Amino acid sequence: MAADRAQKAERIRHLLATEGASVEENARGFNDGRYESVARLEEYEDYKDRARAIKEDAIEHLPDLIEQVRETVEANGGTVYLAEDAADANRYVREVASDTEADTVVKSKSMTTEEIELNEALEAEGSEVWETDLGEFVLQVAEEAPSHLVAPAIHRSCEDIAHLFNEHFDTDEDLETAQELTDFAREYLGDQIREADLGITGANFVTADTGTMALVTSEGNARKTVAVPDTHVAVAGVEKIIPTFEDLQPFVELIGRSGTGQDITSYVSLFSPPVSTPPVDFESDEPIADDPDDREFHLVLLDNGRMDMREDDQLRETLYCIRCSACANSCANFQSVGGHAFGGETYTGGIATGWEAGVHGQDSAAEFNDLCTGCSRCVNQCPVNIDIPWINTVVRDRINHSGEDGQFDFLVEGLTPDAEPAGLDLQKRFFGNFSTLAKLGSATAPLSNWGADLSPSRWLMERVLGIDRRRELPRFERETFVEWFRNRDVPRSVDADYHAVVYPDLYTNHVRTERGKAAVRTLEALGVAVEVPDVASSGRAPLSQGMVDTAAGHADEVAADLESYLEAGYDVVVIEPSDHAMFQREYEKLLSEEQHESLADRSYEVFEYIYGLLENGADISELRNADRGATEEIAYHSHCQQRTLGLESYTTAVLEDLEYDVLTSDVECCGMAGSFGYKSEYYELSMDVGSRLGEQFETPEAADRTVVASGTSCLEQLDSLLTRQPRHPITLIEPPKS
C-alpha cells in the first residue's frame, strides 16, 4: 500500500506541475461565470426544481419513453436501435458505415461515443474518423483523453496547443495566437466535413413526443456534422430522453449557465431528423436538387449499464445528470489536478464516480473516488440537485466491500470498533475510527501527544497508515469538554426561556475544548440553560471513509443519546459545521424519517443559534465586543458545509454587531477536508488547494487581521499555511472571564 500511495502522490505532483495551472484558470473561470450568470436569472431555483422533476419522471417511465421515441423517430423517417452495451452499439454503427461506404467519418463532441470507444471501432474497420470539436480535435492530434466533460482540452494552454499543431501540421508559418489556431482548425476540419460520408453526433436531450434532438454546443461544427453528410448517426444514452418538447426549456436555461457560465450557449440546435436539408454538393455550382428524403438518420440509444443503474436506489440519481460539468468546475481538488486525476475511463469530476461505477465498473471508480472529500460544494451547483457526495460515499462503501465475501471477517470480528469487513484498507479503518483514537488519546494525554510526535512514530504512521509526516498531528486534551462541564462548579439555570444541548463533537470534546467552553459561557450569558451530555460522535469520520454501516451505527447512538433532550424541548447547538451538516443532510439517509426530522428541526449551528437569540431580545452587551471598544479587524473563512447550508452569514452578522470589522474570504475551500489533508498521497494537493486561501490572507488588506475560521479542518490548514494562529469565532465573543 505504501508503494501505491507513493505512486499516486507522484502522479498528482506531475499533474499539478504540468496541467494544474491551465485547469485552475479555466475551471475557476467557468465557476465564476456560473455565479454571475445564475445571479442574473431570477427563476434559477424554480428552473432547477422543474429540471429535477422532469428527470425524475423521465427515468421513472424510461421503458415507455424509449418505445415512444422509437415510434416518433420512425414516423419521422429515421431508424432507432437500442444497444445493449458498447460492443453492440459499435457493431451497429460499423454496419451503417459499411452500408454507406463511409471512408471519412466526422464527429461532433460526444462523451457517450468516448464511453464506447467508437472512434477506435470505426478506425479498426478502415474508416478515417475526425473530431470536429476544437477541443476534441486537439486531443485527437495529441492522442490524449479528455480531462473535462464540456471543455475536453481544459488542461492545455494556448501555447501548448500552438506547439502541438506546429509540430504535427505542415503550416506556412508557425501558429501562435488563439485566433490563428482556431482559423487553422476551422479550415482543416472544414475540408474533412466536405469529404465526409457519415456524420456522428451525440445528443444532449431527445424528446419522446417529437423525436427531436437537442445539441448544445459552443461551435457550429455539430450543425455541419448533421447537415453535410447524407447519413447521420446520433449516439445517446437512454437517460437523455425527456418526455416532451416543452420540457427542454428549463434545461436550455440551465445547461450553459451551469457549465461555462454563459446565459445561453452559442448554439442550441434542435433537429427532428432526418433533417430536410438536402445533402450538400461542394463540387457543383448548380442548385442542389437531391431529394431530402434520401437522407438517412439512425438514433442509437445506449443502455450499457444504465437500466441497471435505474434499478439501483443509490446510483439512480446519476441518470439525472445533464453532463454540464458544474460539479467539476466548483470542486477545489478538480481545479488543481483536472480530470486526468479526478476521472475514470471516460467521465470526470464529482459525478464521474456514479457514471464510472455504472458503465465501467467499480474498479474504474476506485481509481479516483477518494478525491471527492464530501465537502458538498457541488450540491448547490448541480442544476438538477443531485446529491453527488452521497453517490461518491455509497460507491466508496461498495469498493470497501468489494473483496472476497467475508472470508477473513472472523479475523477482525470483535477486534475493531466498526461494522466493516476484514479487507478494509487500514488507512480508512484508522481514520474511520477516530472516535476510538480520540478517547484513547485524551485518556493517556499528554503521553499520547509526546509519543505520537517521536520520529519513529511518524515514520511508522507514514509507512503503515499513510499519514504524512509533514502534517502536524492533533493535540489531545486530558480533560475532555464533557468532563469539564460535568466537573465545573456553576449553578444551573432553572427558569431560562431556552434550553440547549451543546453537542460535544470529536474535536471539541478531545482536542479544541476551548471552543466548547466558550460556547457554553456565551449561551449562558445570553440566558440559555445549557447541558453537555456524553453523546456519541456523529459518524462523520467513518462516513468520509465510505464506512456507511459504521456511520449509521453512530447516527443511531446519537439519536438515542439525544432523544430524551429533544422530547423535553431542548435545542441542539453544534459547533463543528461538518457535524451539523450530518444532522441536517446525511442523517436523512442513515436514520428513520421521524428520527432525522426530530433532530434536524431542533439542531442549529452555534452562530445561527446566537443570532436567533439576539434577534429575539437577548442582551448583546453580555458578549465581548472588539477589544477596548475599538474595531478589531478580522479575516474570516467559513466552512464549506456552512456555505452549502446557507449559514455562513450568521457568523459575520454577529461579529459585525459586536463592532468587528470582518473581511470575508471568497476562497471556497481550505483544502484540508478532514482526514484528506493528512494522507500522504494527497498532502501536496491539499496544500495546493489551501495555498489560494493562504495567499488571500497574506494580502496587504488581510495580513494584519486576526484570522478566524469556523471549521476544524479550516483551522488546522490555516495553522499550517500562516505564521499567525487562527481562532474559532466563538472564542472572540465569549463573555470576559470574571
Side-chain angles (χ1 to χ4, degrees):
M1 291 302 295
D4 291 342
R5 293 188 186 107
Q7 186 177 20
K8 185 172 288 187
E10 178 56 35
R11 171 68 173 159
I12 287 174
R13 278 193 293 271
H14 172 73
L15 291 173
L16 286 171
T18 58
E19 300 182 1
S22 293
V23 171
E24 180 180 354
E25 179 182 0
N26 289 300
R28 293 184 71 183
F30 289 154
N31 197 46
D32 291 343
R34 189 195 65 79
Y35 280 127
E36 294 170 6
S37 181
V38 301
R40 293 191 291 268
L41 184 64
E42 186 176 341
E43 305 92 341
Y44 176 62
E45 293 297 334
D46 290 338
Y47 280 133
K48 287 175 65 176
D49 291 341
R50 285 176 57 192
R52 170 75 182 208
I54 290 167
K55 291 296 286 186
E56 285 182 350
D57 179 66
I59 299 305
E60 177 65 26
H61 298 96
L62 189 54
D64 294 336
L65 292 179
I66 291 172
E67 290 309 309
Q68 187 179 2
V69 166
R70 186 190 302 277
E71 293 172 4
T72 53
V73 170
E74 290 178 352
N76 291 339
T79 302
V80 175
Y81 183 75
L82 180 60
E84 181 179 352
D85 54 25
D88 191 20
N90 287 336
R91 179 195 57 76
Y92 182 84
V93 179
R94 284 199 307 266
E95 289 179 359
V96 173
S98 176
D99 291 344
T100 57
E101 299 180 352
D103 294 325
T104 302
V105 178
V106 289
K107 290 177 68 260
S108 68
K109 183 182 179 304
S110 165
M111 292 306 298
T112 307
T113 60
E114 291 277 355
E115 175 188 323
I116 64 175
E117 298 182 342
L118 179 59
N119 289 20
E120 292 82 350
L122 290 171
E123 288 168 347
E125 296 296 316
S127 294
E128 187 177 41
V129 182
W130 289 99
E131 295 285 355
T132 63
D133 172 86
L134 180 54
E136 291 285 359
F137 177 56
V138 168
L139 299 184
Q140 185 176 23
V141 173
E143 298 182 350
E144 291 180 348
S147 63
H148 190 270
L149 287 176
V150 172
I154 194 175
H155 58 286
R156 280 191 168 266
S157 66
C158 181
E159 292 77 14
D160 289 338
I161 297 169
H163 179 72
L164 174 71
F165 279 17
N166 290 329
E167 279 200 337
H168 190 85
F169 298 105
D170 183 17
T171 57
D172 294 335
E173 296 181 3
D174 280 354
L175 306 171
E176 294 182 358
T177 67
Q179 186 64 54
E180 290 171 347
L181 292 166
T182 303
D183 289 344
F184 169 79
R186 181 184 293 115
E187 181 178 352
Y188 187 90
L189 293 172
D191 291 340
Q192 313 311 320
I193 292 172
R194 282 190 287 272
E195 295 296 324
D197 307 296
L198 175 64
I200 299 176
T201 69
N204 293 94
F205 307 98
V206 179
T207 63
D209 63 337
T210 62
T212 300
M213 287 188 350
L215 291 174
V216 182
T217 64
S218 295
E219 304 167 31
N221 62 300
R223 292 182 179 181
K224 295 176 183 178
T225 300
V226 169
V228 174
D230 57 9
T231 301
H232 171 208
V233 174
V235 182
V238 291
E239 83 285 355
K240 298 297 186 70
I241 303 173
I242 57 176
T244 70
F245 187 86
E246 287 75 15
D247 288 335
L248 283 169
Q249 197 239 348
F251 297 105
V252 171
E253 292 284 0
L254 291 169
I255 193 167
R257 288 181 165 87
S258 300
T260 56
Q262 297 168 279
D263 290 352
I264 191 168
T265 48
S266 302
Y267 296 89
V268 178
S269 304
L270 304 177
F271 304 100
S272 298
V275 295
S276 58
T277 304
V280 177
D281 185 355
F282 289 96
E283 303 301 324
S284 173
D285 293 330
E286 297 297 320
I288 297 170
D290 292 29
D291 186 349
D293 290 340
D294 290 340
R295 297 183 67 87
E296 286 188 35
F297 171 65
H298 300 262
L299 173 60
V300 179
L301 292 173
L302 180 67
D303 179 354
N304 204 35
R306 287 162 172 80
M307 298 307 283
D308 288 339
M309 292 168 69
R310 177 177 174 268
E311 299 301 318
D312 187 322
D313 289 341
Q314 306 297 346
L315 290 186
R316 183 186 181 102
E317 262 196 300
T318 306
L319 298 175
Y320 304 162
C321 171
I322 63 173
R323 311 263 181 90
C324 68
S325 77
C327 58
N329 298 336
S330 62
C331 174
N333 283 343
F334 187 95
Q335 289 173 3
S336 284
V337 294
H340 287 159
F342 203 152
E345 293 183 33
T346 304
Y347 298 101
T348 59
I351 196 62
T353 287
W355 280 119
E356 291 290 324
V359 304
H360 293 309
Q362 286 180 181
D363 287 347
S364 179
E367 291 297 315
F368 64 93
N369 172 258
D370 283 346
L371 285 171
C372 173
T373 63
C375 76
S376 77
R377 287 178 67 192
C378 58
V379 172
N380 292 344
Q381 325 306 350
C382 177
V384 284
N385 296 318
I386 299 173
D387 192 346
I388 296 169
W390 181 253
I391 292 173
N392 276 273
T393 299
V394 167
V395 173
R396 192 171 302 159
D397 180 66
R398 293 177 180 181
I399 293 167
N400 290 345
H401 287 78
S402 62
E404 295 294 328
D405 291 339
Q407 65 173 331
F408 297 115
D409 283 2
F410 72 94
L411 293 174
V412 298
E413 187 174 356
L415 300 179
T416 60
D418 58 56
E420 307 306 315
L424 179 65
D425 175 69
L426 188 58
Q427 185 189 69
K428 282 185 166 61
R429 193 182 295 278
F430 176 84
F431 283 116
N433 287 298
F434 184 72
S435 59
T436 300
L437 178 68
K439 292 174 184 176
L440 181 62
S442 286
T444 58
L447 183 62
S448 57
N449 299 321
W450 174 81
D453 282 340
L454 294 175
S455 295
S457 299
R458 294 310 306 263
W459 178 88
L460 188 64
M461 282 189 277
E462 186 170 73
R463 182 72 179 172
V464 177
L465 299 173
I467 299 174
D468 199 285
R469 70 182 74 185
R470 291 166 290 184
R471 182 69 72 180
E472 185 176 348
L473 298 175
R475 313 288 296 179
F476 296 108
E477 295 284 347
R478 180 62 178 241
E479 182 183 56
T480 67
F481 172 44
V482 170
E483 290 169 345
W484 167 83
F485 184 83
R486 184 186 301 141
N487 296 334
R488 71 185 191 135
D489 186 18
V490 176
R492 307 289 177 88
S493 173
V494 293
D495 298 323
D497 292 330
Y498 299 95
H499 294 74
V501 166
V502 174
Y503 175 69
D505 65 85
L506 274 178
Y507 262 75
T508 300
N509 197 28
H510 295 281
V511 180
R512 295 184 178 269
T513 59
E514 76 284 349
R515 67 189 188 188
K517 299 171 186 177
V520 168
R521 287 192 282 259
T522 298
L523 294 178
E524 288 180 339
L526 295 176
V528 180
V530 176
E531 294 290 341
V532 183
D534 191 2
V535 183
S537 66
S538 71
R540 171 63 70 185
L543 195 70
S544 70
Q545 308 305 312
M547 298 163 61
V548 174
D549 289 342
T550 302
H554 283 253
D556 286 336
E557 289 185 56
V558 170
D561 291 341
L562 293 177
E563 182 179 13
S564 61
Y565 292 97
L566 294 172
E567 289 177 349
Y570 277 72
D571 300 316
V572 179
V573 178
V574 189
I575 298 169
E576 173 55 41
S578 62
D579 286 275
H580 182 56
M582 285 287 288
F583 296 169
Q584 294 295 318
R585 288 173 36 81
E586 281 81 6
Y587 274 20
E588 183 179 6
K589 310 285 200 312
L590 302 176
L591 295 175
S592 69
E593 181 178 357
E594 181 181 358
Q595 286 177 308
H596 169 248
E597 289 182 355
S598 174
L599 180 54
D601 289 347
R602 299 300 297 271
S603 65
Y604 302 86
E605 188 267 340
V606 61
F607 272 85
E608 176 191 16
Y609 197 69
I610 292 169
Y611 179 87
L613 293 172
L614 296 175
E615 286 291 293
N616 284 281
D619 186 0
I620 196 171
S621 67
E622 294 291 335
L623 306 183
R624 181 170 55 188
N625 64 358
D627 291 344
R628 297 181 301 279
T631 300
E632 183 174 350
E633 296 182 331
I634 291 172
Y636 173 60
H637 177 70
S638 61
H639 191 278
C640 53
Q641 302 282 6
Q642 280 179 295
R643 299 184 189 215
T644 298
L645 295 172
L647 301 176
E648 73 276 14
S649 61
Y650 293 113
T651 302
T652 55
V654 171
L655 291 173
E656 287 171 351
D657 284 347
L658 288 167
E659 301 179 21
Y660 289 95
D661 178 9
V662 183
L663 174 68
T664 302
S665 164
D666 60 9
V667 175
E668 295 184 83
C669 184
C670 73
M672 186 66 186
S675 65
F676 183 82
Y678 283 99
K679 296 179 179 180
S680 58
E681 61 267 44
Y682 301 126
Y683 176 80
E684 279 94 347
L685 175 55
S686 170
M687 295 302 288
D688 183 77
V689 172
S691 66
R692 301 160 197 162
L693 179 60
E695 289 167 4
Q696 185 171 83
F697 279 176
E698 293 289 9
T699 61
E701 186 181 11
D704 295 328
R705 291 173 177 260
T706 299
V707 176
V708 176
S710 295
T712 297
S713 292
C714 310
L715 290 164
E716 290 183 329
Q717 184 77 312
L718 285 165
D719 200 23
S720 298
L721 294 167
L722 304 174
T723 56
R724 57 198 194 276
Q725 188 80 24
R727 298 177 62 181
H728 193 284
I730 195 66
T731 65
L732 292 178
I733 72 168
E734 65 172 313
K737 300 181 181 69
S738 56

